[in-house]
Amino acid sequence: MQAKLSTMFQSLKVRNYRLFATGQLIKLIGVWMMFIAQDWLVLDLSGNSATALGVVTALQFTPVLLLTLISGRLADRYDKRLLLFVANAFWTVLALAMAALVITGLVQLWHVFAFAALLGTANAVETPVRQAFVSELVGTELLPNALSLNAATFNSARIVGPAVAGLAIAAFDVGPVFLVTAFSSLAPLVNVVRMRPAELHRKELPPIGERDQAKVIDGLRYVWRRPDLLLPMVMISIIATSLFNFQLTLAALAKTVFNTGAASFGLFSSALAVGALAGALAGTGRRSRPSVWVVLGAAVACSVFGTLVGFAPAYWLVVTLLLPTGFCMVFFAQAANQRIQLGVDAAFRGRVMALWVLVFLGTNPVGAPVIGWLAETYGAGASIWIGGLISLVTALLALTWQLRRSGARLRFRVLPMPRFYVVSAPDC
């Protein structure tokens, strides 16, 4: 067990990565508390409008759609550590301003809309830079483990943040939650400063003239010529748009279908996050690039469980189904992320990861308003299972395409345990 745990958390032996992960964990707990408080505040200010909730989510991710590719170019041209500091500093100022509005009682719905858009701007710069920065913290050998621990950090915060936020909102209202978020965002700023640049795994930045040659269009062409990168990109764009909207749909499900309070909404989010944490930790032992079949199998599984959540008629059944749903969602997303990161040339890493962030998060401005409208018109449950079915069709089509392209065959085995497996061609 000790050896297993040592392998699982191997990247934490690297000081710079340990500082990075600690700062992210503290910040993300506050961020998830803020997300719960923000959603609850929007529902209160808008008269329980799921459409308003969808608009906020869309505004939060529209800058990702517009700015992420530019951020990827910056990541390939400039010091990622400095870029992270600037983006996180901007985020801290925003969080303090929003906390002041909420605590003083001056907040209005349009304030939340504006805050969501500005927050999205900070995230549009920070997220692709942070994704590309991980390889500089640990090097290629530990990169799969570090990426899995990133997901574990993210989902640990998703467990703690919503649970604490639900209780805090019930006890103190939303104002103090926003204040905690503002102070927690200082942690990554401090830890980025404490890092040792000499211990980073990176090459010297090229001269300014050579950096100017790092163009966005070259990154897009690079991915287009790589089917092994393009397939997970296309899959995640559709599945994230249609199914990965639980921040929106679970709030509507808790309040409008089961008529529960903020604490129960926090339980939904925490159940999803517990499964997600298990899915992230399941990938920490990976030491090589995951196969396309792992990515496709996880996509099918998360689509099936997501669909079942939408059909679940009872509160306890939703909580139960959210556990495997969270596991399969993160296992799929992380396997796809690792397949891309471990297959990309270092010179294109920033731009490729910016495209990954774009298709993973940038599609929300399109999907969130539609999902919000479905939830308000046909019910929150319908908005979930419709998205699940779209995702399932996407995953099955991708599986069919890959089988035909590779010449592989899908088989089913009953004994010793029922399972599907792939008989691959030699080149697979």
Side-chain angles (χ1 to χ4, degrees), residues 219-238:
L220 297 177
R221 288 171 179 163
Y222 176 81
V223 173
W224 181 257
R225 292 193 298 264
R226 295 281 304 275
D228 60 321
L229 304 181
L230 187 60
L231 181 63
M233 289 277 192
V234 172
M235 289 175 61
I236 202 71
S237 66
I238 298 174

Side-chain angles (χ1 to χ4, degrees), residues 211-364:
R211 296 187 216 173
D212 291 338
Q213 298 175 9
K215 298 177 181 178
V216 171
I217 190 65
D218 291 334
L220 297 177
R221 288 171 179 163
Y222 176 81
V223 173
W224 181 257
R225 292 193 298 264
R226 295 281 304 275
D228 60 321
L229 304 181
L230 187 60
L231 181 63
M233 289 277 192
V234 172
M235 289 175 61
I236 202 71
S237 66
I238 298 174
I239 295 176
T241 301
S242 56
L243 183 59
F244 289 11
N245 292 285
F246 285 111
Q247 178 189 341
L248 186 162
T249 53
L250 291 182
L253 194 69
K255 196 161 190 178
T256 64
V257 176
F258 296 107
N259 299 313
T260 56
S264 296
F265 170 37
L267 180 59
F268 276 171
S269 297
S270 294
L272 186 72
V274 168
L277 176 59
L281 292 176
T284 55
R286 189 174 289 132
R287 288 293 177 268
S288 60
R289 192 184 187 202
S291 73
V292 67
W293 309 116
V294 171
V295 177
L296 290 167
V300 171
C302 81
S303 302
V304 170
F305 282 113
T307 303
L308 293 176
V309 169
F311 283 119
Y315 177 88
W316 65 267
L317 187 56
V318 172
V319 173
T320 302
L321 287 171
L322 284 172
L323 293 169
T325 301
F327 180 96
C328 294
M329 281 174 56
V330 169
F331 193 85
F332 160 59
Q334 200 56 34
N337 185 304
Q338 291 171 344
R339 182 162 177 79
I340 290 171
Q341 288 236 40
L342 292 172
V344 67
D345 293 335
F348 289 92
R349 189 180 303 278
R351 282 164 287 177
V352 172
M353 294 318 298
L355 183 59
W356 164 263
V357 173
L358 176 64
V359 300
F360 194 17
L361 301 178
T363 52
N364 274 274

Side-chain angles (χ1 to χ4, degrees), residues 8-249:
M8 182 178 292
F9 299 104
Q10 191 172 1
S11 295
L12 292 177
K13 295 177 181 178
V14 180
R15 180 181 183 275
N16 281 343
Y17 181 79
R18 189 165 60 250
L19 289 170
F20 172 82
T22 303
Q24 286 297 310
L25 179 61
I26 296 171
K27 174 188 173 181
L28 287 171
I29 289 174
V31 168
W32 278 104
M33 290 178 66
M34 184 272 295
F35 280 152
I36 300 298
Q38 175 186 269
D39 291 349
W40 214 249
L41 181 62
V42 169
L43 290 173
D44 284 341
L45 294 174
S46 65
N48 294 336
S49 172
T51 300
L53 207 57
V55 170
V56 169
T57 304
L59 288 170
Q60 201 163 291
F61 290 104
T62 295
V64 177
L65 182 64
L66 299 176
L67 302 175
T68 294
L69 293 181
I70 298 174
S71 177
R73 186 187 182 204
L74 294 176
D76 283 335
R77 296 174 67 191
Y78 299 109
D79 187 338
K80 299 178 183 65
R81 181 167 162 260
L82 177 60
L83 291 173
L84 283 177
F85 181 87
V86 173
N88 279 294
F90 181 57
W91 204 104
T92 300
V93 173
L94 287 176
L96 286 169
M98 189 62 187
L101 284 173
V102 177
I103 290 173
T104 58
L106 299 176
V107 67
Q108 299 179 30
L109 188 59
W110 73 267
H111 291 143
V112 185
F113 289 163
F115 172 69
L118 291 171
L119 174 63
T121 302
N123 284 337
V125 175
E126 191 263 357
T127 304
V129 175
R130 172 168 43 84
Q131 289 273 345
F133 188 51
V134 176
S135 64
E136 295 187 3
L137 291 168
V138 297
T140 304
E141 183 178 349
L142 290 177
L143 184 57
N145 178 259
L147 292 174
S148 294
L149 287 180
N150 278 0
T153 299
F154 180 82
N155 289 290
S156 296
R158 286 181 67 181
I159 295 171
V160 177
V164 173
L167 297 173
I169 293 171
F172 308 110
D173 207 0
V174 295
V177 176
F178 280 95
L179 191 60
V180 169
T181 298
F183 284 112
S184 70
S185 65
L186 295 172
L189 287 175
V190 174
N191 283 0
V192 163
V193 173
R194 293 177 62 201
M195 289 180 185
R196 296 170 182 165
E199 296 178 6
L200 293 174
H201 298 258
R202 64 182 179 186
K203 299 178 181 179
E204 292 295 325
L205 288 172
I208 295 294
E210 293 182 23
R211 296 187 216 173
D212 291 338
Q213 298 175 9
K215 298 177 181 178
V216 171
I217 190 65
D218 291 334
L220 297 177
R221 288 171 179 163
Y222 176 81
V223 173
W224 181 257
R225 292 193 298 264
R226 295 281 304 275
D228 60 321
L229 304 181
L230 187 60
L231 181 63
M233 289 277 192
V234 172
M235 289 175 61
I236 202 71
S237 66
I238 298 174
I239 295 176
T241 301
S242 56
L243 183 59
F244 289 11
N245 292 285
F246 285 111
Q247 178 189 341
L248 186 162
T249 53

